[in-house]
Amino acid sequence: MKQLRYVENIAALKYNQNKCTGCEMCVKVCPRNVFVMEGKKAKVADHGACIECGACMVNCAYGAINVETGPGCAAAILGSKGGKAECGCGDDKNTGCCG
């Protein structure tokens, strides 16, 4: 099965490898494996897999990553308490951003 993709070539992910200290947090927190370690620095391995959730940016203490968090369930779930989307997704009316 082909890996699900976000909208190709449109993710607002910007990465400055010069600011990277090699802490590996972006690699650990990215749910889509956008980052990999190459030597002692992170590298963007798959820009098109980025879902703009912002987990990498929030966890980069060195300001090496910037991303405008996108709309939809990824941002809603990460911004919620307890990991449940607060956008209405999953309700009986199916009227949320996933509906």
Side-chain angles (χ1 to χ4, degrees):
M1 182 169 111
K2 185 179 176 184
Q3 180 185 11
L4 295 175
R5 310 290 291 171
Y6 196 47
V7 181
E8 291 290 342
N9 301 317
I10 200 165
L13 174 68
K14 291 182 177 69
Y15 171 63
N16 183 338
Q17 194 173 37
N18 293 329
K19 291 184 176 182
C20 179
T21 64
C23 73
E24 299 184 27
M25 285 304 296
C26 57
V27 175
K28 292 176 183 176
V29 301
C30 180
R32 301 291 302 201
N33 300 314
V34 170
F35 295 92
V36 295
M37 291 302 293
E38 187 172 272
K40 295 186 178 191
K41 300 238 181 196
K43 173 185 170 187
V44 176
D46 192 355
H47 190 272
C50 178
I51 58 173
E52 299 177 328
C53 68
C56 56
M57 179 177 68
V58 171
N59 286 280
C60 180
Y62 306 97
I65 303 168
N66 187 22
V67 63
E68 282 186 47
T69 54
C73 292
I77 290 169
L78 289 171
S80 70
K81 294 181 181 174
K84 183 176 180 201
E86 294 179 1
C87 58
C89 293
D91 64 9
D92 291 336
K93 296 176 186 152
N94 202 21
T95 58
C97 61
C98 300

